[in-house]
Amino acid sequence: MAADGEKLTSEIEADLDLSELRYSMVWEDGEILSEGLAIQPTDTVLSITSAGDNVLRLLLDEPKKIYAVDFSATQNAVLQLKIAVIKELTREEAIKVLGFSGTPQERRDLYAKLQTLPQEVKELLKEAHVDIEGGLAPSGKLERFLSRIARDCYSTLVGRELVEKYISAGTPESRHAALRTWPSEAVFSKSWDILGELGKTGRHSSQFKYVGLGPDEYGRHCASRMQKLLHREASFCRPNHYLSNYLLGTDPTHGVVPGGKLSIDHFLPAYLTTEHYDKLRGLVDRITVVTGSIESILSEDFTFQKANLSDIFEYMSDDACQALLKQMARRCTPGGRMAFWNLFIDRHPPPAGKRDCDGMTDKYFELLGGLSAELQCRDRFPMYQDFFVCECRKTLEAEQ
């Protein structure tokens, strides 16, 4: 464990190919994240960048500042592209250039119009083989695997018409009725195969270091969670762009089809909706993009009130978790919050009044168990095992 004052380093950063585009979209529910963090106008927010969607979703809550942090310059480049698009293009143009609709020629022409996107960012996207003409949305490594599930499981085994009927159903009863017509066992088996392959070739071995699961078990668990999602979302019967993109793929040619039951709005993340897009144009200058690990920025002299940590603890040892939380306790204002997901590993501070558990300290952060459980039940894409919101009790510096 790092000693007090020692600069922390990321355990996984050196193992990954940081030139690769791992994600072109974010699959962690931005709405429950927003509700859990309860951002205020005076807040400084720390957020893992990933593909930037949840940075933009949290920006809609109008914090004072957001630091978007990722050790992958390529992932940060995706967010920088989205920021430039929001600054310069109309919503209809943004939907095209980001790969949710339009033609390759339209996307090429719109990309060429961008004046505020630095040349070095364009070079990073080129080196990562981001296919602007083919569409940014399906370009990530994860999205390519998920598009295979959409094609081989749902389009092939279920059929587009039945999938559209399920997504567009207006009542829980009609959605459950549509789901009963699907060949569930065949879909589960095929998705298990593809997700197992994702575990073998789509994720680096270092991402399994502390999990204790092999790739095949990874595939089975993820396929099982997605089957449960389909039944749960049938009962909610609510708009869910995560589900639409999962079932039909992120390729712009797979989404809206002439004569179909779906509109482009079924596929769009929050920042591209009519309600939110124009508002973001006046807010994006509040984002500061930082290339480096979360550990490195916590070594700087600044404070924050809210933090989105994605699933960062999945890739850390117990000692590294303890050290990171201790460093966060130096920087987080008392009453501040952090939120994060667990995919397979079980790490979280305990609720108030409970003993320390799972290798994570309860001295400075308290698990908001009731709120976490409530929000997890509303997660629109629960590929993850858990969602947690924790509150900072006091800063480490207050003790010294």
Side-chain angles (χ1 to χ4, degrees), residues 5-9 293-302 327 330-331:
E6 182 180 338
K7 187 173 181 179
L8 302 180
T9 57
S293 66
I294 198 81
E295 292 89 347
S296 65
I297 194 171
L298 288 172
S299 299
E300 303 296 326
D301 185 18
F302 83 108
Q327 190 75 332
R330 294 181 185 275
R331 306 301 182 203

Side-chain angles (χ1 to χ4, degrees), residues 106-394:
E106 286 176 312
R107 286 189 282 277
R108 181 166 59 248
D109 292 344
L110 288 168
Y111 185 70
K113 284 176 59 176
L114 296 175
Q115 300 297 310
T116 60
L117 188 65
Q119 184 60 36
E120 59 266 27
V121 173
K122 293 182 179 180
E123 291 298 323
L124 280 169
L125 295 172
K126 183 178 179 180
E127 289 169 10
H129 305 292
V130 174
D131 183 8
I132 297 297
E133 292 184 25
L136 172 67
S139 291
K141 191 171 187 177
L142 176 61
E143 286 71 24
R144 293 196 298 273
F145 273 97
L146 295 185
S147 290
R148 283 183 54 197
I149 293 176
R151 182 191 67 220
D152 296 346
C153 294
Y154 298 105
S155 293
T156 301
L157 298 177
V158 178
R160 169 115 195 172
E161 183 177 352
L162 290 178
V163 174
E164 285 200 6
K165 187 175 182 180
Y166 169 85
I167 294 173
S168 63
T171 66
E173 292 77 16
S174 57
R175 190 173 265 192
H176 277 293
L179 192 58
R180 285 194 291 270
T181 66
W182 293 17
S184 297
E185 290 187 10
V187 169
F188 176 80
S189 178
K190 188 64 177 177
S191 61
W192 180 353
D193 289 344
I194 297 173
L195 287 165
E197 187 177 339
L198 170 62
K200 293 175 184 176
T201 63
R203 289 170 69 85
H204 193 274
S205 59
S206 60
Q207 293 177 286
F208 289 102
K209 185 174 181 180
Y210 302 108
V211 173
L213 286 179
D216 191 57
E217 292 174 289
Y218 172 89
R220 178 175 60 82
H221 279 280
C222 291
S224 178
R225 288 175 189 172
M226 296 316 299
Q227 288 290 88
K228 291 176 182 177
L229 168 65
L230 291 170
H231 288 277
R232 192 174 82 175
E233 284 301 299
S235 297
F236 275 114
C237 201
R238 59 187 173 176
N240 187 339
H241 75 277
Y242 303 101
L243 188 62
S244 298
N245 282 296
Y246 176 75
L247 294 175
L248 291 173
T250 55
D251 189 303
T253 64
H254 294 168
V256 181
V257 297
K261 298 177 181 294
L262 305 180
S263 72
I264 190 64
D265 291 326
H266 283 92
F267 298 88
L268 299 179
Y271 72 93
L272 284 176
T273 62
T274 303
E275 177 185 3
H276 295 138
Y277 185 79
D278 289 337
K279 177 182 177 179
L280 281 172
R281 184 170 291 120
L283 298 173
V284 289
D285 285 337
R286 300 184 188 186
I287 299 172
T288 295
V289 178
V290 180
T291 299
S293 66
I294 198 81
E295 292 89 347
S296 65
I297 194 171
L298 288 172
S299 299
E300 303 296 326
D301 185 18
F302 83 108
T303 59
F304 66 92
Q305 289 73 46
K306 305 293 165 59
N308 162 34
L309 299 181
S310 185
D311 63 341
I312 192 171
F313 296 118
E314 196 79 15
Y315 315 122
M316 292 183 178
S317 65
D318 288 342
D319 281 353
C321 288
Q322 292 277 9
L324 178 60
L325 285 170
K326 196 170 184 180
Q327 190 75 332
M328 291 191 70
R330 294 181 185 275
R331 306 301 182 203
C332 187
T333 302
R337 291 182 177 183
M338 66 176 179
F340 59 93
W341 283 261
N342 286 340
L343 183 58
F344 292 111
I345 206 159
D346 186 20
R347 289 203 181 103
H348 59 83
K354 300 292 185 181
R355 295 176 58 190
D356 191 23
C357 63
D358 305 317
M360 292 181 72
T361 183
D362 65 340
K363 191 173 184 181
Y364 307 107
F365 290 96
E366 173 188 320
L367 172 64
L368 302 181
L371 176 62
S372 299
E374 176 191 345
L375 293 175
Q376 186 181 351
C377 286
R378 289 193 268 123
D379 194 329
R380 289 173 296 165
F381 197 73
M383 181 72 81
Y384 291 92
Q385 172 178 281
D386 295 302
F387 175 71
F388 294 117
V389 181
C390 303
E391 189 166 284
C392 183
R393 291 178 169 181
K394 57 183 177 181

Side-chain angles (χ1 to χ4, degrees), residues 8-33:
L8 302 180
T9 57
S10 169
E11 288 187 292
I12 196 173
E13 181 177 0
D15 294 326
L16 298 179
D17 178 2
L18 300 183
S19 68
E20 180 180 55
L21 181 62
R22 291 171 288 129
Y23 317 106
S24 53
M25 298 173 61
V26 175
W27 298 85
E28 296 160 352
D29 192 340
E31 295 306 314
I32 67 169
L33 177 65

